[in-house]
Short mmCIF file of all heavy atoms in Angstrom, two decimals:
data_model
loop_
_atom_site.label_atom_id
_atom_site.label_comp_id
_atom_site.label_asym_id
_atom_site.label_seq_id
_atom_site.Cartn_x
_atom_site.Cartn_y
_atom_site.Cartn_z
N LEU A 3 152.37 141.72 31.27
CA LEU A 3 152.05 140.40 31.98
C LEU A 3 152.74 139.29 31.33
O LEU A 3 152.83 139.24 30.07
CB LEU A 3 150.53 140.19 31.97
CG LEU A 3 149.69 141.22 32.78
CD1 LEU A 3 148.24 140.96 32.59
CD2 LEU A 3 150.05 141.15 34.27
N PRO A 4 153.16 138.30 32.07
CA PRO A 4 153.37 138.38 33.50
C PRO A 4 154.61 139.19 33.87
O PRO A 4 155.57 139.34 33.04
CB PRO A 4 153.64 136.91 33.90
CG PRO A 4 154.22 136.28 32.66
CD PRO A 4 153.63 137.02 31.51
N THR A 5 154.56 139.84 35.05
CA THR A 5 155.71 140.52 35.50
C THR A 5 156.26 139.79 36.75
O THR A 5 155.47 139.37 37.57
CB THR A 5 155.30 141.98 35.94
OG1 THR A 5 154.84 142.68 34.77
CG2 THR A 5 156.49 142.74 36.51
N ILE A 6 157.52 139.63 36.78
CA ILE A 6 158.13 138.87 37.90
C ILE A 6 159.09 139.78 38.65
O ILE A 6 159.90 140.52 38.09
CB ILE A 6 158.89 137.63 37.36
CG1 ILE A 6 157.96 136.74 36.68
CG2 ILE A 6 159.61 136.91 38.53
CD1 ILE A 6 158.65 135.53 35.97
N TYR A 7 158.95 139.76 39.98
CA TYR A 7 159.81 140.54 40.86
C TYR A 7 160.60 139.55 41.76
O TYR A 7 160.05 138.58 42.15
CB TYR A 7 159.04 141.50 41.72
CG TYR A 7 158.62 142.75 41.02
CD1 TYR A 7 157.31 142.86 40.51
CD2 TYR A 7 159.45 143.83 40.89
CE1 TYR A 7 156.94 144.00 39.84
CE2 TYR A 7 159.06 144.95 40.22
CZ TYR A 7 157.78 145.05 39.73
OH TYR A 7 157.40 146.19 39.08
N HIS A 8 161.81 139.96 42.09
CA HIS A 8 162.57 139.36 43.14
C HIS A 8 162.61 140.34 44.29
O HIS A 8 162.82 141.52 44.05
CB HIS A 8 164.04 139.03 42.65
CG HIS A 8 164.84 138.50 43.82
ND1 HIS A 8 165.63 139.39 44.60
CD2 HIS A 8 165.05 137.24 44.28
CE1 HIS A 8 166.27 138.64 45.50
NE2 HIS A 8 165.94 137.36 45.32
N ALA A 9 162.34 139.89 45.50
CA ALA A 9 162.37 140.77 46.62
C ALA A 9 163.24 140.16 47.69
O ALA A 9 163.11 138.92 47.98
CB ALA A 9 160.99 141.06 47.16
N ASN A 10 164.18 140.88 48.24
CA ASN A 10 164.99 140.38 49.37
C ASN A 10 164.97 141.41 50.45
O ASN A 10 165.51 142.52 50.36
CB ASN A 10 166.43 140.14 48.86
CG ASN A 10 167.25 139.37 49.86
OD1 ASN A 10 166.68 138.63 50.66
ND2 ASN A 10 168.55 139.57 49.83
N ASP A 11 164.20 141.10 51.49
CA ASP A 11 164.08 142.00 52.68
C ASP A 11 163.58 143.38 52.27
O ASP A 11 164.12 144.41 52.69
CB ASP A 11 165.35 142.07 53.52
CG ASP A 11 165.68 140.74 54.20
OD1 ASP A 11 164.73 140.05 54.57
OD2 ASP A 11 166.87 140.45 54.35
N GLY A 12 162.55 143.40 51.35
CA GLY A 12 161.95 144.67 50.97
C GLY A 12 162.66 145.40 49.84
O GLY A 12 162.23 146.44 49.40
N VAL A 13 163.76 144.87 49.30
CA VAL A 13 164.39 145.50 48.13
C VAL A 13 163.94 144.75 46.90
O VAL A 13 164.20 143.51 46.81
CB VAL A 13 165.95 145.40 48.28
CG1 VAL A 13 166.62 145.96 47.04
CG2 VAL A 13 166.36 146.14 49.56
N PHE A 14 163.31 145.42 46.01
CA PHE A 14 162.68 144.80 44.81
C PHE A 14 163.58 144.95 43.60
O PHE A 14 164.06 146.03 43.38
CB PHE A 14 161.29 145.43 44.58
CG PHE A 14 160.29 145.10 45.58
CD1 PHE A 14 160.18 145.86 46.76
CD2 PHE A 14 159.46 143.95 45.48
CE1 PHE A 14 159.25 145.49 47.77
CE2 PHE A 14 158.55 143.68 46.47
CZ PHE A 14 158.42 144.43 47.60
N ARG A 15 163.58 143.92 42.82
CA ARG A 15 164.28 143.90 41.53
C ARG A 15 163.41 143.20 40.49
O ARG A 15 162.78 142.19 40.78
CB ARG A 15 165.63 143.17 41.60
CG ARG A 15 166.66 143.89 42.46
CD ARG A 15 167.85 142.91 42.69
NE ARG A 15 168.95 143.63 43.29
CZ ARG A 15 169.12 143.80 44.65
NH1 ARG A 15 168.21 143.24 45.44
NH2 ARG A 15 170.13 144.40 45.15
N ARG A 16 163.25 143.77 39.38
CA ARG A 16 162.42 143.19 38.33
C ARG A 16 163.27 142.12 37.63
O ARG A 16 164.38 142.35 37.18
CB ARG A 16 162.04 144.33 37.35
CG ARG A 16 161.21 143.76 36.19
CD ARG A 16 159.86 144.44 36.11
NE ARG A 16 159.14 143.84 34.98
CZ ARG A 16 158.71 144.53 33.99
NH1 ARG A 16 158.92 145.80 33.91
NH2 ARG A 16 158.02 143.96 33.00
N TYR A 17 162.66 140.94 37.56
CA TYR A 17 163.29 139.77 36.82
C TYR A 17 162.97 139.93 35.37
O TYR A 17 161.83 140.00 35.00
CB TYR A 17 162.75 138.48 37.38
CG TYR A 17 163.28 137.31 36.60
CD1 TYR A 17 164.57 136.79 36.86
CD2 TYR A 17 162.47 136.66 35.68
CE1 TYR A 17 165.07 135.65 36.25
CE2 TYR A 17 162.96 135.54 35.02
CZ TYR A 17 164.25 135.08 35.25
OH TYR A 17 164.72 134.00 34.59
N ARG A 18 163.97 139.95 34.50
CA ARG A 18 163.77 140.09 33.07
C ARG A 18 164.38 138.93 32.32
O ARG A 18 164.53 138.99 31.06
CB ARG A 18 164.35 141.41 32.57
CG ARG A 18 163.71 142.63 33.20
CD ARG A 18 164.23 143.88 32.65
NE ARG A 18 163.82 145.05 33.30
CZ ARG A 18 162.61 145.70 33.01
NH1 ARG A 18 161.88 145.27 32.09
NH2 ARG A 18 162.29 146.76 33.74
N GLY A 19 164.74 137.86 33.00
CA GLY A 19 165.41 136.71 32.37
C GLY A 19 164.41 135.85 31.66
O GLY A 19 163.19 136.10 31.59
N SER A 20 164.91 134.68 31.21
CA SER A 20 164.10 133.71 30.58
C SER A 20 163.08 133.09 31.57
O SER A 20 163.40 133.06 32.75
CB SER A 20 164.97 132.63 29.96
OG SER A 20 164.27 131.54 29.53
N ARG A 21 162.00 132.62 31.03
CA ARG A 21 160.91 132.10 31.89
C ARG A 21 161.03 130.61 32.04
O ARG A 21 159.98 129.93 32.25
CB ARG A 21 159.56 132.50 31.30
CG ARG A 21 159.42 134.01 31.03
CD ARG A 21 159.08 134.78 32.33
NE ARG A 21 159.21 136.20 32.20
CZ ARG A 21 158.25 137.05 31.81
NH1 ARG A 21 157.13 136.57 31.32
NH2 ARG A 21 158.48 138.34 31.78
N THR A 22 162.17 130.03 31.92
CA THR A 22 162.32 128.53 32.06
C THR A 22 162.68 128.27 33.52
O THR A 22 163.17 129.10 34.24
CB THR A 22 163.47 128.03 31.16
OG1 THR A 22 164.72 128.57 31.66
CG2 THR A 22 163.27 128.35 29.73
N LEU A 23 162.31 127.04 33.90
CA LEU A 23 162.57 126.56 35.28
C LEU A 23 164.06 126.70 35.62
O LEU A 23 164.41 127.21 36.71
CB LEU A 23 162.06 125.13 35.48
CG LEU A 23 162.22 124.55 36.85
CD1 LEU A 23 161.54 125.38 37.90
CD2 LEU A 23 161.72 123.13 36.85
N GLU A 24 164.94 126.29 34.72
CA GLU A 24 166.36 126.29 34.97
C GLU A 24 166.87 127.74 35.23
O GLU A 24 167.70 127.98 36.06
CB GLU A 24 167.13 125.68 33.78
CG GLU A 24 166.88 124.16 33.57
CD GLU A 24 165.51 123.90 32.94
OE1 GLU A 24 164.97 124.76 32.18
OE2 GLU A 24 164.92 122.80 33.18
N ASP A 25 166.38 128.70 34.41
CA ASP A 25 166.83 130.09 34.55
C ASP A 25 166.28 130.69 35.84
O ASP A 25 167.00 131.45 36.51
CB ASP A 25 166.39 130.93 33.34
CG ASP A 25 167.30 130.61 32.11
OD1 ASP A 25 168.40 130.06 32.30
OD2 ASP A 25 166.85 130.86 30.98
N LEU A 26 165.09 130.36 36.21
CA LEU A 26 164.52 130.86 37.48
C LEU A 26 165.31 130.29 38.67
O LEU A 26 165.65 131.11 39.57
CB LEU A 26 163.09 130.49 37.59
CG LEU A 26 162.08 131.25 36.68
CD1 LEU A 26 160.70 130.53 36.64
CD2 LEU A 26 161.92 132.66 37.10
N GLN A 27 165.62 129.06 38.62
CA GLN A 27 166.41 128.45 39.71
C GLN A 27 167.85 129.04 39.75
O GLN A 27 168.35 129.29 40.80
CB GLN A 27 166.45 126.87 39.49
CG GLN A 27 165.20 126.25 39.73
CD GLN A 27 165.16 124.74 39.33
OE1 GLN A 27 165.97 124.36 38.51
NE2 GLN A 27 164.24 123.99 39.91
N GLY A 28 168.45 129.18 38.56
CA GLY A 28 169.77 129.77 38.47
C GLY A 28 169.81 131.19 38.99
O GLY A 28 170.81 131.60 39.58
N TYR A 29 168.77 131.98 38.78
CA TYR A 29 168.68 133.32 39.26
C TYR A 29 168.83 133.36 40.77
O TYR A 29 169.50 134.29 41.27
CB TYR A 29 167.35 133.87 38.81
CG TYR A 29 167.19 135.41 39.02
CD1 TYR A 29 167.86 136.29 38.20
CD2 TYR A 29 166.41 135.86 40.06
CE1 TYR A 29 167.73 137.67 38.40
CE2 TYR A 29 166.28 137.21 40.27
CZ TYR A 29 166.90 138.09 39.39
OH TYR A 29 166.76 139.48 39.63
N ILE A 30 168.30 132.39 41.39
CA ILE A 30 168.39 132.34 42.89
C ILE A 30 169.68 131.70 43.31
O ILE A 30 170.40 132.24 44.14
CB ILE A 30 167.15 131.62 43.48
CG1 ILE A 30 165.84 132.29 43.19
CG2 ILE A 30 167.30 131.44 44.98
CD1 ILE A 30 165.73 133.73 43.62
N LEU A 31 169.98 130.47 42.79
CA LEU A 31 171.11 129.72 43.22
C LEU A 31 172.44 130.42 42.96
O LEU A 31 173.34 130.45 43.86
CB LEU A 31 171.18 128.36 42.55
CG LEU A 31 170.13 127.34 43.03
CD1 LEU A 31 170.17 126.14 42.13
CD2 LEU A 31 170.39 126.99 44.47
N GLU A 32 172.52 131.08 41.81
CA GLU A 32 173.79 131.80 41.47
C GLU A 32 173.73 133.30 41.90
O GLU A 32 174.66 134.04 41.56
CB GLU A 32 173.95 131.69 39.94
CG GLU A 32 174.10 130.26 39.48
CD GLU A 32 173.98 130.12 37.97
OE1 GLU A 32 174.20 131.11 37.26
OE2 GLU A 32 173.69 128.98 37.53
N ARG A 33 172.70 133.63 42.61
CA ARG A 33 172.53 134.99 43.15
C ARG A 33 172.68 136.09 42.02
O ARG A 33 173.26 137.12 42.23
CB ARG A 33 173.51 135.27 44.30
CG ARG A 33 173.34 134.29 45.47
CD ARG A 33 174.27 134.49 46.53
NE ARG A 33 174.17 135.69 47.25
CZ ARG A 33 173.36 135.92 48.36
NH1 ARG A 33 172.68 134.92 48.80
NH2 ARG A 33 173.29 137.11 48.91
N LYS A 34 172.13 135.77 40.88
CA LYS A 34 172.18 136.70 39.74
C LYS A 34 171.41 138.03 40.05
O LYS A 34 171.68 139.05 39.42
CB LYS A 34 171.58 136.02 38.50
CG LYS A 34 172.45 134.93 37.96
CD LYS A 34 171.83 134.36 36.73
CE LYS A 34 172.67 133.20 36.14
NZ LYS A 34 172.03 132.53 35.06
N TRP A 35 170.49 137.91 40.93
CA TRP A 35 169.71 139.07 41.37
C TRP A 35 170.59 140.19 41.95
O TRP A 35 170.24 141.39 41.85
CB TRP A 35 168.61 138.71 42.35
CG TRP A 35 169.01 138.01 43.55
CD1 TRP A 35 169.12 136.62 43.68
CD2 TRP A 35 169.42 138.53 44.78
NE1 TRP A 35 169.51 136.31 44.96
CE2 TRP A 35 169.79 137.44 45.66
CE3 TRP A 35 169.58 139.81 45.27
CZ2 TRP A 35 170.20 137.65 46.93
CZ3 TRP A 35 170.04 139.99 46.60
CH2 TRP A 35 170.31 138.92 47.42
#
C-alpha cells in the first residue's frame, strides 16, 4: 500500500514511479505508461 494502477481501455499497468505530483502528471502527459 498504496498501489497505483494505470488503466487504458481495460489494459492495466502498475505504476512504480515517484509519488510526486509532477511525476504523476508526467506519466500521463509524456505517455510513459
Side-chain angles (χ1 to χ4, degrees):
L3 293 174
T5 298
I6 299 173
Y7 282 98
H8 173 269
N10 192 26
D11 292 327
V13 177
F14 292 86
R15 291 172 172 87
R16 178 122 180 241
Y17 175 79
R18 298 184 189 272
S20 171
R21 308 279 168 87
T22 65
L23 180 58
E24 295 77 26
D25 285 340
L26 289 166
Q27 290 170 338
Y29 189 75
I30 299 300
L31 287 173
E32 299 167 21
R33 301 178 68 89
K34 292 179 181 176
W35 53 270

